[in-house]
Amino acid sequence: MIREMRAAIFDLDGVIVDTAKYHYLAWKRLANELGFDFTETDNERLKGVSRVRSLEILLEIGGLTLDDATKSQLAARKNDWYVEYISNMVASEILPGAAEYLQKLRSRGIKTALGSASKNAPLILERLGISSLFDVVVDGNKVSKAKPDPEVFLRAAEELNIPPAECIVFEDAEAGIEAAQHAGMGAVGIGNPVTLRESDIIIPGLYALIVVSI
Ligand code: BG6
Ligand code: MG
């Protein structure tokens, strides 16, 4: 389907910046403390998934069943470590082409938004110095339903005042592509052509859009 793009909505983790490695370090540290291992392959299952659901998957892998109070303590402990890691991030960790593509869209009058599940998104944008590249930021602090629910993207469209059909989502997670489709938006998949096969277009990274007219 050919659409006019009036707004571009970007996922953060895996699209603008590679934070998966920091999530992995923190989850692995927690798993090791709990007495089991957590591999990079296991970590793939957590991409695009909310913090609470990520913990549930981790506990499933370790074969543990815990009460809610313990689970929220563990999620908080993981987040403290994660925040410690991302507090040292620098602008060179922005993925290739991401800042340039955002600037290119803005110079053409296309609105830009962040649509992320992460509650740490404001800290990451601030550390990378790219908050001003987004007209609107919708993150895990503003929404209650995790992707594949379309809430995060619909909220971004609403705040931008652009109809969903004129928004294009850029996502690296299968759940995010599904969320874009539920929102009635176009979906550009970034990364794995197999897991992202439901996308309208798949590209290896935003750098691929710098030279073409999209
Ligand atoms: C998503 C990540 O963007 O945010 C997930 O892909 C992460 O891996 C989720 O669990 C929630 O992030 P946070 O920073 O609120 O724990
Ligand atoms: Mg992502």
Side-chain angles (χ1 to χ4, degrees):
M1 187 194 304
I2 309 266
R3 298 165 182 263
E4 188 195 351
M5 171 165 64
R6 288 182 58 209
I9 308 177
F10 295 85
D11 174 49
L12 177 65
D13 297 312
V15 171
I16 304 290
V17 68
D18 178 20
T19 39
K21 60 181 182 231
Y22 298 119
H23 279 298
Y24 173 60
L25 284 177
W27 285 125
K28 187 177 170 64
R29 192 165 162 183
L30 186 67
N32 292 166
E33 264 202 6
L34 294 170
F36 60 93
D37 198 19
F38 180 69
T39 65
E40 288 199 48
T41 311
D42 294 330
N43 193 53
E44 287 299 307
R45 293 177 60 193
L46 309 190
K47 286 188 181 171
V49 173
S50 73
R51 193 181 308 169
V52 175
R53 182 66 198 130
S54 295
L55 177 66
E56 283 168 2
I57 296 172
L58 185 103
L59 294 175
E60 245 171 69
I61 291 168
L64 295 179
T65 310
L66 301 172
D67 59 67
D68 286 350
T70 313
K71 283 201 266 189
S72 52
Q73 273 173 16
L74 294 180
R77 188 167 342 150
K78 179 268 171 180
N79 193 56
D80 288 345
W81 291 326
Y82 178 67
V83 168
E84 205 179 298
Y85 301 143
I86 60 174
S87 299
N88 297 317
M89 280 177 89
V90 288
S92 59
E93 290 179 68
I94 299 171
L95 286 169
E100 293 84 347
Y101 186 56
L102 277 153
Q103 274 150 356
K104 177 173 156 175
L105 293 177
R106 294 169 66 80
S107 70
R108 291 188 183 174
I110 294 167
K111 296 276 181 206
T112 55
L114 191 83
S116 166
S118 174
K119 294 187 172 171
N120 294 299
L123 170 66
I124 296 169
L125 295 183
E126 188 253 312
R127 282 298 312 156
L128 301 176
I130 53 170
S131 305
S132 62
L133 292 179
F134 298 94
D135 295 298
V136 155
V137 172
V138 181
D139 60 36
N141 302 296
K142 282 192 180 173
V143 294
S144 55
K145 291 179 228 140
K147 300 169 188 175
D149 190 282
E151 185 186 12
V152 65
F153 297 141
L154 290 174
R155 173 82 186 258
E158 192 185 316
E159 289 196 22
L160 288 169
N161 203 18
I162 305 274
E166 292 170 15
C167 296
I168 304 284
V169 167
F170 296 80
E171 255 293 347
D172 72 317
E174 202 179 342
I177 297 294
E178 214 181 313
Q181 285 167 343
H182 288 155
M185 299 176 180
V188 177
I190 299 193
N192 189 326
V194 177
T195 50
L196 301 174
R197 63 186 169 276
E198 298 300 327
S199 317
D200 296 303
I201 313 173
I202 303 172
I203 55 169
L206 290 174
Y207 64 86
L209 301 178
I210 299 300
V211 287
V212 294
S213 200
I214 173 171

